Amino acid sequence: RLCIAVLPLVRRQLDARIRQIEAQLAQIDAAMSDRVEKDERMARRRDILVSIPGIGEATALAMLVEMPELGTLGAKRAASLAGLAPMTRQSGKWRGKEHIRGGRPMLRRAVYMPALVATRCNPAMKRTYERLIGEGKPAKLALTAVMRKLVILANALVRENRPWQPTRPVKSP
C-alpha cells in the first residue's frame, strides 16, 4: 500500500502503522525469547535446534511452538505431523503421484527456508538434494525431501538431547 500511496497524509499513516506493527512484532519476539530463557528444558531444546545448519532462532522457536511433541516421536510420525510424509493416491489399478498433505502447515512453512539454506550449508542435506536432482527429480520434490530430513533430524537430536555435529568422512584403509 505504501508503494502506491500518493497522498502525503496516507503515506504518513501507513508509515506509522508499519512502525507500530514492527514494534509489536519485536515485543512478541522478545517475550518468546524471554519465556524460552526462563525454561531450562525449552532453552536446551532451542539450542539443539539452532545447532543444526540451516535452522536459526526464529525457526527453532516456530518448531518448538508448532510441534511440542518434538523428540517424542518416531521418524515417520514426526514427518507426518509436519505434513511432510508422502501420501500415495491410487484407486484399483490406477496409480497417481505421491503428494504431501495434512499435518501442520505453519510448521511446514517454517521449515521451508531453512531447507533452502541447508541445501547450501549442511553437507548431508546438500548431498541429498543434489542426489535427487541428479536422479531427475523436480527441485520442489528434492527440497521437500530435505525439509523432511530436517524435521526427522531435529526430532532425533532433541530425543537424544545432543546438538548437531558434522559427520566426518570415513577414511578408507
PDB file of all heavy atoms in Angstrom, residues 105-145:
ATOM      1  N   PRO A 105       0.515 -27.019   8.757  1.00  0.00           N
ATOM      2  CA  PRO A 105       1.039 -26.172   7.690  1.00  0.00           C
ATOM      3  C   PRO A 105       1.979 -25.067   8.177  1.00  0.00           C
ATOM      4  O   PRO A 105       2.919 -24.702   7.466  1.00  0.00           O
ATOM      5  CB  PRO A 105      -0.208 -25.592   7.026  1.00  0.00           C
ATOM      6  CG  PRO A 105      -1.340 -25.866   7.939  1.00  0.00           C
ATOM      7  CD  PRO A 105      -0.940 -26.979   8.832  1.00  0.00           C
ATOM      8  N   MET A 106       1.765 -24.528   9.352  1.00  0.00           N
ATOM      9  CA  MET A 106       2.657 -23.468   9.844  1.00  0.00           C
ATOM     10  C   MET A 106       4.064 -24.027  10.081  1.00  0.00           C
ATOM     11  O   MET A 106       5.059 -23.355   9.815  1.00  0.00           O
ATOM     12  CB  MET A 106       2.104 -22.846  11.130  1.00  0.00           C
ATOM     13  CG  MET A 106       0.813 -22.072  10.929  1.00  0.00           C
ATOM     14  SD  MET A 106       0.980 -20.689   9.788  1.00  0.00           S
ATOM     15  CE  MET A 106       1.934 -19.577  10.771  1.00  0.00           C
ATOM     16  N   LEU A 107       4.134 -25.242  10.565  1.00  0.00           N
ATOM     17  CA  LEU A 107       5.433 -25.887  10.767  1.00  0.00           C
ATOM     18  C   LEU A 107       6.103 -26.135   9.426  1.00  0.00           C
ATOM     19  O   LEU A 107       7.303 -25.878   9.263  1.00  0.00           O
ATOM     20  CB  LEU A 107       5.251 -27.203  11.532  1.00  0.00           C
ATOM     21  CG  LEU A 107       6.501 -28.043  11.736  1.00  0.00           C
ATOM     22  CD1 LEU A 107       7.518 -27.279  12.577  1.00  0.00           C
ATOM     23  CD2 LEU A 107       6.138 -29.358  12.408  1.00  0.00           C
ATOM     24  N   ARG A 108       5.332 -26.611   8.469  1.00  0.00           N
ATOM     25  CA  ARG A 108       5.879 -26.870   7.140  1.00  0.00           C
ATOM     26  C   ARG A 108       6.412 -25.575   6.526  1.00  0.00           C
ATOM     27  O   ARG A 108       7.495 -25.554   5.950  1.00  0.00           O
ATOM     28  CB  ARG A 108       4.781 -27.489   6.264  1.00  0.00           C
ATOM     29  CG  ARG A 108       5.279 -28.098   5.002  1.00  0.00           C
ATOM     30  CD  ARG A 108       4.252 -28.936   4.258  1.00  0.00           C
ATOM     31  NE  ARG A 108       2.948 -28.333   4.127  1.00  0.00           N
ATOM     32  CZ  ARG A 108       1.861 -28.757   4.745  1.00  0.00           C
ATOM     33  NH1 ARG A 108       1.896 -29.785   5.560  1.00  0.00           N
ATOM     34  NH2 ARG A 108       0.698 -28.153   4.563  1.00  0.00           N
ATOM     35  N   ARG A 109       5.673 -24.479   6.693  1.00  0.00           N
ATOM     36  CA  ARG A 109       6.134 -23.190   6.167  1.00  0.00           C
ATOM     37  C   ARG A 109       7.402 -22.724   6.878  1.00  0.00           C
ATOM     38  O   ARG A 109       8.277 -22.118   6.267  1.00  0.00           O
ATOM     39  CB  ARG A 109       5.039 -22.145   6.316  1.00  0.00           C
ATOM     40  CG  ARG A 109       3.920 -22.320   5.334  1.00  0.00           C
ATOM     41  CD  ARG A 109       2.909 -21.182   5.428  1.00  0.00           C
ATOM     42  NE  ARG A 109       1.652 -21.620   4.842  1.00  0.00           N
ATOM     43  CZ  ARG A 109       0.535 -21.806   5.526  1.00  0.00           C
ATOM     44  NH1 ARG A 109       0.489 -21.550   6.817  1.00  0.00           N
ATOM     45  NH2 ARG A 109      -0.546 -22.221   4.910  1.00  0.00           N
ATOM     46  N   ALA A 110       7.472 -22.995   8.172  1.00  0.00           N
ATOM     47  CA  ALA A 110       8.640 -22.556   8.950  1.00  0.00           C
ATOM     48  C   ALA A 110       9.905 -23.293   8.544  1.00  0.00           C
ATOM     49  O   ALA A 110      11.005 -22.767   8.691  1.00  0.00           O
ATOM     50  CB  ALA A 110       8.372 -22.756  10.447  1.00  0.00           C
ATOM     51  N   VAL A 111       9.774 -24.500   8.025  1.00  0.00           N
ATOM     52  CA  VAL A 111      10.945 -25.320   7.689  1.00  0.00           C
ATOM     53  C   VAL A 111      11.372 -25.117   6.234  1.00  0.00           C
ATOM     54  O   VAL A 111      12.461 -25.520   5.847  1.00  0.00           O
ATOM     55  CB  VAL A 111      10.641 -26.815   7.981  1.00  0.00           C
ATOM     56  CG1 VAL A 111      11.803 -27.702   7.625  1.00  0.00           C
ATOM     57  CG2 VAL A 111      10.292 -27.003   9.442  1.00  0.00           C
ATOM     58  N   TYR A 112      10.557 -24.438   5.437  1.00  0.00           N
ATOM     59  CA  TYR A 112      10.859 -24.263   4.015  1.00  0.00           C
ATOM     60  C   TYR A 112      12.174 -23.512   3.776  1.00  0.00           C
ATOM     61  O   TYR A 112      13.075 -24.009   3.096  1.00  0.00           O
ATOM     62  CB  TYR A 112       9.701 -23.550   3.310  1.00  0.00           C
ATOM     63  CG  TYR A 112       9.947 -23.315   1.845  1.00  0.00           C
ATOM     64  CD1 TYR A 112       9.766 -24.330   0.927  1.00  0.00           C
ATOM     65  CD2 TYR A 112      10.379 -22.071   1.378  1.00  0.00           C
ATOM     66  CE1 TYR A 112       9.998 -24.131  -0.420  1.00  0.00           C
ATOM     67  CE2 TYR A 112      10.622 -21.857   0.038  1.00  0.00           C
ATOM     68  CZ  TYR A 112      10.428 -22.890  -0.864  1.00  0.00           C
ATOM     69  OH  TYR A 112      10.671 -22.687  -2.186  1.00  0.00           O
ATOM     70  N   MET A 113      12.297 -22.308   4.325  1.00  0.00           N
ATOM     71  CA  MET A 113      13.515 -21.515   4.095  1.00  0.00           C
ATOM     72  C   MET A 113      14.754 -22.164   4.709  1.00  0.00           C
ATOM     73  O   MET A 113      15.813 -22.179   4.074  1.00  0.00           O
ATOM     74  CB  MET A 113      13.335 -20.084   4.610  1.00  0.00           C
ATOM     75  CG  MET A 113      12.420 -19.235   3.754  1.00  0.00           C
ATOM     76  SD  MET A 113      12.876 -19.154   2.009  1.00  0.00           S
ATOM     77  CE  MET A 113      14.342 -18.180   2.073  1.00  0.00           C
ATOM     78  N   PRO A 114      14.666 -22.717   5.922  1.00  0.00           N
ATOM     79  CA  PRO A 114      15.838 -23.419   6.451  1.00  0.00           C
ATOM     80  C   PRO A 114      16.276 -24.584   5.566  1.00  0.00           C
ATOM     81  O   PRO A 114      17.475 -24.874   5.475  1.00  0.00           O
ATOM     82  CB  PRO A 114      15.371 -23.916   7.822  1.00  0.00           C
ATOM     83  CG  PRO A 114      14.335 -22.939   8.218  1.00  0.00           C
ATOM     84  CD  PRO A 114      13.634 -22.569   6.937  1.00  0.00           C
ATOM     85  N   ALA A 115      15.329 -25.232   4.900  1.00  0.00           N
ATOM     86  CA  ALA A 115      15.704 -26.320   3.990  1.00  0.00           C
ATOM     87  C   ALA A 115      16.485 -25.769   2.801  1.00  0.00           C
ATOM     88  O   ALA A 115      17.463 -26.377   2.360  1.00  0.00           O
ATOM     89  CB  ALA A 115      14.457 -27.062   3.514  1.00  0.00           C
ATOM     90  N   LEU A 116      16.074 -24.607   2.305  1.00  0.00           N
ATOM     91  CA  LEU A 116      16.836 -23.969   1.220  1.00  0.00           C
ATOM     92  C   LEU A 116      18.264 -23.660   1.671  1.00  0.00           C
ATOM     93  O   LEU A 116      19.225 -23.906   0.947  1.00  0.00           O
ATOM     94  CB  LEU A 116      16.156 -22.670   0.785  1.00  0.00           C
ATOM     95  CG  LEU A 116      15.039 -22.765  -0.227  1.00  0.00           C
ATOM     96  CD1 LEU A 116      14.424 -21.402  -0.470  1.00  0.00           C
ATOM     97  CD2 LEU A 116      15.520 -23.361  -1.524  1.00  0.00           C
ATOM     98  N   VAL A 117      18.390 -23.120   2.873  1.00  0.00           N
ATOM     99  CA  VAL A 117      19.715 -22.799   3.417  1.00  0.00           C
ATOM    100  C   VAL A 117      20.517 -24.083   3.620  1.00  0.00           C
ATOM    101  O   VAL A 117      21.706 -24.144   3.313  1.00  0.00           O
ATOM    102  CB  VAL A 117      19.582 -22.012   4.739  1.00  0.00           C
ATOM    103  CG1 VAL A 117      20.929 -21.831   5.400  1.00  0.00           C
ATOM    104  CG2 VAL A 117      18.930 -20.663   4.481  1.00  0.00           C
ATOM    105  N   ALA A 118      19.862 -25.123   4.127  1.00  0.00           N
ATOM    106  CA  ALA A 118      20.544 -26.385   4.406  1.00  0.00           C
ATOM    107  C   ALA A 118      21.094 -27.018   3.129  1.00  0.00           C
ATOM    108  O   ALA A 118      22.128 -27.692   3.170  1.00  0.00           O
ATOM    109  CB  ALA A 118      19.611 -27.352   5.121  1.00  0.00           C
ATOM    110  N   THR A 119      20.433 -26.796   1.994  1.00  0.00           N
ATOM    111  CA  THR A 119      20.940 -27.362   0.739  1.00  0.00           C
ATOM    112  C   THR A 119      22.259 -26.706   0.327  1.00  0.00           C
ATOM    113  O   THR A 119      22.967 -27.235  -0.521  1.00  0.00           O
ATOM    114  CB  THR A 119      19.931 -27.211  -0.418  1.00  0.00           C
ATOM    115  OG1 THR A 119      19.690 -25.829  -0.658  1.00  0.00           O
ATOM    116  CG2 THR A 119      18.646 -27.940  -0.121  1.00  0.00           C
ATOM    117  N   ARG A 120      22.578 -25.598   0.970  1.00  0.00           N
ATOM    118  CA  ARG A 120      23.838 -24.911   0.662  1.00  0.00           C
ATOM    119  C   ARG A 120      24.894 -25.086   1.749  1.00  0.00           C
ATOM    120  O   ARG A 120      26.082 -25.160   1.452  1.00  0.00           O
ATOM    121  CB  ARG A 120      23.565 -23.425   0.462  1.00  0.00           C
ATOM    122  CG  ARG A 120      22.725 -23.165  -0.767  1.00  0.00           C
ATOM    123  CD  ARG A 120      22.540 -21.677  -1.015  1.00  0.00           C
ATOM    124  NE  ARG A 120      21.622 -21.484  -2.119  1.00  0.00           N
ATOM    125  CZ  ARG A 120      20.343 -21.193  -1.975  1.00  0.00           C
ATOM    126  NH1 ARG A 120      19.835 -21.038  -0.781  1.00  0.00           N
ATOM    127  NH2 ARG A 120      19.575 -21.047  -3.032  1.00  0.00           N
ATOM    128  N   CYS A 121      24.475 -25.149   3.020  1.00  0.00           N
ATOM    129  CA  CYS A 121      25.481 -25.113   4.089  1.00  0.00           C
ATOM    130  C   CYS A 121      25.542 -26.377   4.945  1.00  0.00           C
ATOM    131  O   CYS A 121      26.438 -26.507   5.757  1.00  0.00           O
ATOM    132  CB  CYS A 121      25.263 -23.890   4.983  1.00  0.00           C
ATOM    133  SG  CYS A 121      23.766 -23.974   5.970  1.00  0.00           S
ATOM    134  N   ASN A 122      24.617 -27.303   4.778  1.00  0.00           N
ATOM    135  CA  ASN A 122      24.644 -28.551   5.534  1.00  0.00           C
ATOM    136  C   ASN A 122      25.064 -29.648   4.558  1.00  0.00           C
ATOM    137  O   ASN A 122      24.312 -30.003   3.653  1.00  0.00           O
ATOM    138  CB  ASN A 122      23.252 -28.842   6.117  1.00  0.00           C
ATOM    139  CG  ASN A 122      23.240 -30.049   7.018  1.00  0.00           C
ATOM    140  OD1 ASN A 122      23.970 -31.004   6.810  1.00  0.00           O
ATOM    141  ND2 ASN A 122      22.384 -30.011   8.013  1.00  0.00           N
ATOM    142  N   PRO A 123      26.277 -30.191   4.724  1.00  0.00           N
ATOM    143  CA  PRO A 123      26.803 -31.143   3.734  1.00  0.00           C
ATOM    144  C   PRO A 123      25.890 -32.344   3.475  1.00  0.00           C
ATOM    145  O   PRO A 123      25.700 -32.740   2.322  1.00  0.00           O
ATOM    146  CB  PRO A 123      28.133 -31.602   4.342  1.00  0.00           C
ATOM    147  CG  PRO A 123      28.507 -30.541   5.311  1.00  0.00           C
ATOM    148  CD  PRO A 123      27.229 -29.944   5.804  1.00  0.00           C
ATOM    149  N   ALA A 124      25.305 -32.920   4.505  1.00  0.00           N
ATOM    150  CA  ALA A 124      24.440 -34.091   4.314  1.00  0.00           C
ATOM    151  C   ALA A 124      23.181 -33.718   3.535  1.00  0.00           C
ATOM    152  O   ALA A 124      22.753 -34.456   2.637  1.00  0.00           O
ATOM    153  CB  ALA A 124      24.066 -34.695   5.666  1.00  0.00           C
ATOM    154  N   MET A 125      22.591 -32.582   3.865  1.00  0.00           N
ATOM    155  CA  MET A 125      21.383 -32.153   3.168  1.00  0.00           C
ATOM    156  C   MET A 125      21.700 -31.754   1.721  1.00  0.00           C
ATOM    157  O   MET A 125      20.920 -32.008   0.815  1.00  0.00           O
ATOM    158  CB  MET A 125      20.719 -30.979   3.890  1.00  0.00           C
ATOM    159  CG  MET A 125      20.314 -31.266   5.314  1.00  0.00           C
ATOM    160  SD  MET A 125      19.090 -32.567   5.429  1.00  0.00           S
ATOM    161  CE  MET A 125      19.045 -32.829   7.176  1.00  0.00           C
ATOM    162  N   LYS A 126      22.859 -31.158   1.532  1.00  0.00           N
ATOM    163  CA  LYS A 126      23.285 -30.780   0.188  1.00  0.00           C
ATOM    164  C   LYS A 126      23.452 -32.025  -0.684  1.00  0.00           C
ATOM    165  O   LYS A 126      23.015 -32.048  -1.840  1.00  0.00           O
ATOM    166  CB  LYS A 126      24.601 -29.997   0.258  1.00  0.00           C
ATOM    167  CG  LYS A 126      25.078 -29.473  -1.066  1.00  0.00           C
ATOM    168  CD  LYS A 126      26.316 -28.634  -0.903  1.00  0.00           C
ATOM    169  CE  LYS A 126      26.731 -28.031  -2.227  1.00  0.00           C
ATOM    170  NZ  LYS A 126      27.850 -27.107  -2.090  1.00  0.00           N
ATOM    171  N   ARG A 127      24.066 -33.084  -0.124  1.00  0.00           N
ATOM    172  CA  ARG A 127      24.232 -34.339  -0.866  1.00  0.00           C
ATOM    173  C   ARG A 127      22.876 -34.939  -1.236  1.00  0.00           C
ATOM    174  O   ARG A 127      22.674 -35.392  -2.364  1.00  0.00           O
ATOM    175  CB  ARG A 127      25.051 -35.344  -0.052  1.00  0.00           C
ATOM    176  CG  ARG A 127      26.538 -35.120  -0.103  1.00  0.00           C
ATOM    177  CD  ARG A 127      27.305 -36.298   0.462  1.00  0.00           C
ATOM    178  NE  ARG A 127      26.927 -36.642   1.827  1.00  0.00           N
ATOM    179  CZ  ARG A 127      27.442 -36.086   2.924  1.00  0.00           C
ATOM    180  NH1 ARG A 127      28.374 -35.160   2.812  1.00  0.00           N
ATOM    181  NH2 ARG A 127      27.042 -36.456   4.121  1.00  0.00           N
ATOM    182  N   THR A 128      21.954 -34.944  -0.294  1.00  0.00           N
ATOM    183  CA  THR A 128      20.614 -35.479  -0.560  1.00  0.00           C
ATOM    184  C   THR A 128      19.942 -34.704  -1.680  1.00  0.00           C
ATOM    185  O   THR A 128      19.398 -35.289  -2.624  1.00  0.00           O
ATOM    186  CB  THR A 128      19.741 -35.412   0.712  1.00  0.00           C
ATOM    187  OG1 THR A 128      20.337 -36.222   1.723  1.00  0.00           O
ATOM    188  CG2 THR A 128      18.332 -35.872   0.448  1.00  0.00           C
ATOM    189  N   TYR A 129      19.985 -33.391  -1.591  1.00  0.00           N
ATOM    190  CA  TYR A 129      19.357 -32.537  -2.601  1.00  0.00           C
ATOM    191  C   TYR A 129      19.982 -32.781  -3.973  1.00  0.00           C
ATOM    192  O   TYR A 129      19.271 -33.004  -4.959  1.00  0.00           O
ATOM    193  CB  TYR A 129      19.496 -31.071  -2.193  1.00  0.00           C
ATOM    194  CG  TYR A 129      18.826 -30.109  -3.140  1.00  0.00           C
ATOM    195  CD1 TYR A 129      17.450 -29.914  -3.095  1.00  0.00           C
ATOM    196  CD2 TYR A 129      19.560 -29.398  -4.076  1.00  0.00           C
ATOM    197  CE1 TYR A 129      16.825 -29.034  -3.962  1.00  0.00           C
ATOM    198  CE2 TYR A 129      18.947 -28.522  -4.946  1.00  0.00           C
ATOM    199  CZ  TYR A 129      17.579 -28.336  -4.884  1.00  0.00           C
ATOM    200  OH  TYR A 129      16.958 -27.468  -5.744  1.00  0.00           O
ATOM    201  N   GLU A 130      21.307 -32.774  -4.037  1.00  0.00           N
ATOM    202  CA  GLU A 130      21.995 -32.951  -5.325  1.00  0.00           C
ATOM    203  C   GLU A 130      21.768 -34.344  -5.891  1.00  0.00           C
ATOM    204  O   GLU A 130      21.647 -34.515  -7.107  1.00  0.00           O
ATOM    205  CB  GLU A 130      23.481 -32.642  -5.166  1.00  0.00           C
ATOM    206  CG  GLU A 130      23.739 -31.168  -4.954  1.00  0.00           C
ATOM    207  CD  GLU A 130      25.194 -30.839  -4.638  1.00  0.00           C
ATOM    208  OE1 GLU A 130      25.989 -31.789  -4.402  1.00  0.00           O
ATOM    209  OE2 GLU A 130      25.526 -29.652  -4.628  1.00  0.00           O
ATOM    210  N   ARG A 131      21.706 -35.360  -5.038  1.00  0.00           N
ATOM    211  CA  ARG A 131      21.448 -36.724  -5.499  1.00  0.00           C
ATOM    212  C   ARG A 131      20.066 -36.815  -6.147  1.00  0.00           C
ATOM    213  O   ARG A 131      19.916 -37.375  -7.233  1.00  0.00           O
ATOM    214  CB  ARG A 131      21.549 -37.710  -4.334  1.00  0.00           C
ATOM    215  CG  ARG A 131      21.225 -39.157  -4.722  1.00  0.00           C
ATOM    216  CD  ARG A 131      21.317 -40.105  -3.541  1.00  0.00           C
ATOM    217  NE  ARG A 131      20.546 -39.712  -2.385  1.00  0.00           N
ATOM    218  CZ  ARG A 131      19.237 -39.921  -2.229  1.00  0.00           C
ATOM    219  NH1 ARG A 131      18.532 -40.517  -3.161  1.00  0.00           N
ATOM    220  NH2 ARG A 131      18.617 -39.534  -1.124  1.00  0.00           N
ATOM    221  N   LEU A 132      19.067 -36.228  -5.486  1.00  0.00           N
ATOM    222  CA  LEU A 132      17.707 -36.271  -6.033  1.00  0.00           C
ATOM    223  C   LEU A 132      17.595 -35.494  -7.341  1.00  0.00           C
ATOM    224  O   LEU A 132      16.943 -35.945  -8.290  1.00  0.00           O
ATOM    225  CB  LEU A 132      16.707 -35.747  -5.002  1.00  0.00           C
ATOM    226  CG  LEU A 132      16.493 -36.664  -3.793  1.00  0.00           C
ATOM    227  CD1 LEU A 132      15.687 -35.948  -2.717  1.00  0.00           C
ATOM    228  CD2 LEU A 132      15.816 -37.951  -4.209  1.00  0.00           C
ATOM    229  N   ILE A 133      18.225 -34.345  -7.401  1.00  0.00           N
ATOM    230  CA  ILE A 133      18.227 -33.552  -8.636  1.00  0.00           C
ATOM    231  C   ILE A 133      18.939 -34.344  -9.738  1.00  0.00           C
ATOM    232  O   ILE A 133      18.489 -34.378 -10.882  1.00  0.00           O
ATOM    233  CB  ILE A 133      18.899 -32.175  -8.420  1.00  0.00           C
ATOM    234  CG1 ILE A 133      18.075 -31.325  -7.449  1.00  0.00           C
ATOM    235  CG2 ILE A 133      19.134 -31.446  -9.741  1.00  0.00           C
ATOM    236  CD1 ILE A 133      16.714 -30.916  -7.947  1.00  0.00           C
ATOM    237  N   GLY A 134      20.057 -34.998  -9.382  1.00  0.00           N
ATOM    238  CA  GLY A 134      20.797 -35.823 -10.339  1.00  0.00           C
ATOM    239  C   GLY A 134      19.982 -36.991 -10.864  1.00  0.00           C
ATOM    240  O   GLY A 134      20.188 -37.451 -11.986  1.00  0.00           O
ATOM    241  N   GLU A 135      19.042 -37.485 -10.065  1.00  0.00           N
ATOM    242  CA  GLU A 135      18.160 -38.579 -10.487  1.00  0.00           C
ATOM    243  C   GLU A 135      16.999 -38.071 -11.342  1.00  0.00           C
ATOM    244  O   GLU A 135      16.143 -38.852 -11.734  1.00  0.00           O
ATOM    245  CB  GLU A 135      17.609 -39.309  -9.266  1.00  0.00           C
ATOM    246  CG  GLU A 135      18.646 -40.091  -8.498  1.00  0.00           C
ATOM    247  CD  GLU A 135      18.104 -40.676  -7.195  1.00  0.00           C
ATOM    248  OE1 GLU A 135      16.893 -40.505  -6.900  1.00  0.00           O
ATOM    249  OE2 GLU A 135      18.892 -41.297  -6.472  1.00  0.00           O
ATOM    250  N   GLY A 136      16.953 -36.766 -11.564  1.00  0.00           N
ATOM    251  CA  GLY A 136      15.914 -36.202 -12.405  1.00  0.00           C
ATOM    252  C   GLY A 136      14.646 -35.791 -11.661  1.00  0.00           C
ATOM    253  O   GLY A 136      13.628 -35.507 -12.276  1.00  0.00           O
ATOM    254  N   LYS A 137      14.702 -35.755 -10.346  1.00  0.00           N
ATOM    255  CA  LYS A 137      13.532 -35.353  -9.565  1.00  0.00           C
ATOM    256  C   LYS A 137      13.350 -33.837  -9.669  1.00  0.00           C
ATOM    257  O   LYS A 137      14.326 -33.096  -9.790  1.00  0.00           O
ATOM    258  CB  LYS A 137      13.696 -35.733  -8.091  1.00  0.00           C
ATOM    259  CG  LYS A 137      13.948 -37.205  -7.856  1.00  0.00           C
ATOM    260  CD  LYS A 137      12.750 -38.030  -8.188  1.00  0.00           C
ATOM    261  CE  LYS A 137      12.994 -39.488  -7.826  1.00  0.00           C
ATOM    262  NZ  LYS A 137      11.967 -40.375  -8.293  1.00  0.00           N
ATOM    263  N   PRO A 138      12.117 -33.369  -9.591  1.00  0.00           N
ATOM    264  CA  PRO A 138      11.886 -31.914  -9.606  1.00  0.00           C
ATOM    265  C   PRO A 138      12.510 -31.250  -8.370  1.00  0.00           C
ATOM    266  O   PRO A 138      12.617 -31.863  -7.309  1.00  0.00           O
ATOM    267  CB  PRO A 138      10.361 -31.792  -9.568  1.00  0.00           C
ATOM    268  CG  PRO A 138       9.831 -33.125  -9.974  1.00  0.00           C
ATOM    269  CD  PRO A 138      10.865 -34.128  -9.589  1.00  0.00           C
ATOM    270  N   ALA A 139      12.899 -30.000  -8.516  1.00  0.00           N
ATOM    271  CA  ALA A 139      13.558 -29.270  -7.429  1.00  0.00           C
ATOM    272  C   ALA A 139      12.679 -29.189  -6.184  1.00  0.00           C
ATOM    273  O   ALA A 139      13.168 -29.321  -5.059  1.00  0.00           O
ATOM    274  CB  ALA A 139      13.955 -27.876  -7.896  1.00  0.00           C
ATOM    275  N   LYS A 140      11.376 -28.985  -6.364  1.00  0.00           N
ATOM    276  CA  LYS A 140      10.477 -28.894  -5.209  1.00  0.00           C
ATOM    277  C   LYS A 140      10.400 -30.212  -4.458  1.00  0.00           C
ATOM    278  O   LYS A 140      10.333 -30.229  -3.231  1.00  0.00           O
ATOM    279  CB  LYS A 140       9.074 -28.461  -5.632  1.00  0.00           C
ATOM    280  CG  LYS A 140       8.862 -26.997  -5.507  1.00  0.00           C
ATOM    281  CD  LYS A 140       7.399 -26.664  -5.593  1.00  0.00           C
ATOM    282  CE  LYS A 140       7.235 -25.195  -5.293  1.00  0.00           C
ATOM    283  NZ  LYS A 140       5.900 -24.717  -5.514  1.00  0.00           N
ATOM    284  N   LEU A 141      10.407 -31.313  -5.180  1.00  0.00           N
ATOM    285  CA  LEU A 141      10.388 -32.625  -4.538  1.00  0.00           C
ATOM    286  C   LEU A 141      11.663 -32.818  -3.731  1.00  0.00           C
ATOM    287  O   LEU A 141      11.627 -33.290  -2.585  1.00  0.00           O
ATOM    288  CB  LEU A 141      10.247 -33.728  -5.579  1.00  0.00           C
ATOM    289  CG  LEU A 141      10.091 -35.138  -5.030  1.00  0.00           C
ATOM    290  CD1 LEU A 141       9.131 -35.927  -5.895  1.00  0.00           C
ATOM    291  CD2 LEU A 141      11.405 -35.852  -4.930  1.00  0.00           C
ATOM    292  N   ALA A 142      12.800 -32.462  -4.310  1.00  0.00           N
ATOM    293  CA  ALA A 142      14.078 -32.594  -3.615  1.00  0.00           C
ATOM    294  C   ALA A 142      14.101 -31.703  -2.373  1.00  0.00           C
ATOM    295  O   ALA A 142      14.590 -32.113  -1.309  1.00  0.00           O
ATOM    296  CB  ALA A 142      15.230 -32.238  -4.554  1.00  0.00           C
ATOM    297  N   LEU A 143      13.558 -30.507  -2.481  1.00  0.00           N
ATOM    298  CA  LEU A 143      13.522 -29.597  -1.335  1.00  0.00           C
ATOM    299  C   LEU A 143      12.595 -30.127  -0.246  1.00  0.00           C
ATOM    300  O   LEU A 143      12.892 -30.029   0.946  1.00  0.00           O
ATOM    301  CB  LEU A 143      13.094 -28.198  -1.776  1.00  0.00           C
ATOM    302  CG  LEU A 143      13.213 -27.121  -0.721  1.00  0.00           C
ATOM    303  CD1 LEU A 143      14.654 -26.974  -0.259  1.00  0.00           C
ATOM    304  CD2 LEU A 143      12.703 -25.810  -1.255  1.00  0.00           C
ATOM    305  N   THR A 144      11.483 -30.717  -0.645  1.00  0.00           N
ATOM    306  CA  THR A 144      10.569 -31.318   0.327  1.00  0.00           C
ATOM    307  C   THR A 144      11.253 -32.464   1.060  1.00  0.00           C
ATOM    308  O   THR A 144      11.059 -32.645   2.264  1.00  0.00           O
ATOM    309  CB  THR A 144       9.283 -31.798  -0.366  1.00  0.00           C
ATOM    310  OG1 THR A 144       8.669 -30.682  -1.001  1.00  0.00           O
ATOM    311  CG2 THR A 144       8.320 -32.419   0.620  1.00  0.00           C
ATOM    312  N   ALA A 145      12.059 -33.237   0.350  1.00  0.00           N
ATOM    313  CA  ALA A 145      12.810 -34.324   0.987  1.00  0.00           C
ATOM    314  C   ALA A 145      13.788 -33.764   2.024  1.00  0.00           C
ATOM    315  O   ALA A 145      13.959 -34.336   3.103  1.00  0.00           O
ATOM    316  CB  ALA A 145      13.553 -35.144  -0.059  1.00  0.00           C
TER     317      ALA A 145
END
